[in-house]
Amino acid sequence: MDVGISRREHVMDLYEEELRLKPDNADAHFNLALEMLETDNSPKTDMVEHMRRAAELGHKKAFAYLASFYITGTGVEKNAEQAVKWLTQAVEAGVPDAMANLATLYYRGEGVPKDIKKAYLLSRKAIEQDPGCSMAYYNMFVYLRDLNPENPDKSELERVLRRAADLGDIDAMVYLAEEYSSDDDLFELNPKAAFVYWFRAAVENDSRAFAPLAECYLNGSGTEKDVEEGLEYVRRAARENHPECMMFLAREYGDAGGLLPLDFALSIKWCRRFLQVKPDDADMLCLLADNLFKVFQTDRNQSFANYVRAAALKHPRAVYRLGRAWEEGWAYEQENRQPANQDKAAQYYLQALELGNAEAAGALVRMADFGYTGVEYSPADWVNMLKIGADAGVKGCAAKLAAYYHPKGGQQPDAEISAAWMKIALERDKTPWAMTLRGWELVEEHEEAASPEKLREAARLFRKAAGRGEAAALAGLGWLHLQENGPLPQNPGKSIELFRRAARMGEPLGAEMIADMCADGDGVKKDWWLSRKWRRYARTIEYRRKDKKTTLIELVD
């Protein structure tokens, strides 16, 4: 049994019995109305009637309560005129806060003609009547501000607002904190004061303060930097459905190396919580899809569905990810997983590129590298796509531009431009293709002017690139094993092994090198027939992978 409800019902029974004996007992009508106000199952119309009867019998507090019912529509239809009528009686009876509430109606023009000056004067009288009325001070600040918006008395406004805050008005605390956080409004920028008022509002559990207070702690603005305390206020704000804080948690939990430990489950939770508030936020839909992709390795349906929703909102990365789905074979139609489809993948990549996604440029280049011919590019379009990818840091694009402009074998030879892109590819991207290309350049420079140092650097680059799966680098290591007094031990057998591996990985240079060894009898038995076989195999590989990039065979021939 709920003891509180039982007690209240008992008290209500006593008041009703009192009214049966004395129907005009104003206190009994008022107190019964208050009990009914706190009881969910009591008819609100009965509650209003008891409060009205108390007011008609002259109960002072009933005047103010009845006015508030008409303002909020509690148990009656909203009626500003009736609210003004009963507030006026409350003011005449000297009821605390009644004058401040009446001033608000004059300020809004509800039930009476709008009159800001009268609202201001009423608020002053309310303060004279009750110097501790925080609401009257805050209202007076608002009226004073709006009476002279072009030339406000800033010092007086600040004094009044501070007084309201000091008396405990939370709206005043929040207003002061906002003003002190910015230097383009009423008051001068004051981070320390802003922090103090945000903190005071947060102590009063006002959710408006949680996110700004988190920012103060995380950035050390107005207080010492305290990441843990800042994150706690981020969580409190997020629990109150603060969009930016929910987004912050979703991103931080989904990003290794952030302020929070990597936790995809929590990231997904906050993504979904955010989307309950803003269901059409493309960024969050894409982030949710990214997280689902990482968590559910075998079932990509949920991830794909959210990429589709984000792509419908023209989110560039979501469109790109749909291209990846079709290229890699995890796209879905009507809940059924679909096989890989390069044509559909290319369509999505082209759409993503139009929307400004640089990753799509790298994807289209990669597809062309692997022999996809479903999209025709002019030389200018090809170079422009590579530049988009390279400028955005998409690995591989700078290296391909270096090859495109290479002075020996490039489609548009330009040594200076090629060297500039090669530097980016090596120093920033550290791509295996660039390391390999630079390695062969060093080999050629050594052959023009003997330089053991250049061969040692070439060997270092070939090793790094080969370790990351670059077949042409294996061929480079094989070539170095053929050299006398080179950086690697001379070992034709090792060379043959490395050339074979490169050829099996689709690098024609490996097959060409074996063909040369067989033709010259260099470390192996001279065999013209076997040489022709390997030469033919090299041309077959070349034909299969013929694309827009310059091959290493063209560069080293």
Side-chain angles (χ1 to χ4, degrees), residues 27-48:
D27 286 338
H29 280 292
F30 177 75
N31 291 327
L32 179 57
L34 288 184
E35 294 293 339
M36 296 176 79
L37 182 63
E38 298 297 323
T39 306
D40 293 335
N41 57 2
S42 293
K44 298 303 179 189
T45 53
D46 291 350
M47 177 267 298
V48 172

Side-chain angles (χ1 to χ4, degrees), residues 91 99-100 118-131 136 140:
V91 169
M99 199 172 293
K118 186 164 186 176
Y120 170 70
L121 294 174
L122 282 169
S123 66
R124 287 186 66 92
K125 288 183 179 180
I127 290 171
E128 291 171 4
Q129 185 184 73
D130 181 8
M140 188 168 75

Side-chain angles (χ1 to χ4, degrees), residues 447-462:
E447 291 183 334
E448 291 175 356
S451 173
E453 291 78 10
K454 289 184 177 180
L455 282 189
R456 280 194 291 272
E457 177 62 12
R460 186 186 70 82
L461 291 170
F462 285 149

Side-chain angles (χ1 to χ4, degrees), residues 478-506:
W479 184 87
L480 289 173
H481 275 296
L482 290 175
Q483 311 309 306
E484 291 184 20
N485 302 318
L488 300 179
Q490 189 175 28
N491 187 339
K494 184 67 174 178
S495 295
I496 289 285
E497 177 191 338
L498 290 166
F499 292 148
R500 283 179 182 274
R501 284 175 59 192
R504 283 196 298 269
M505 292 171 66

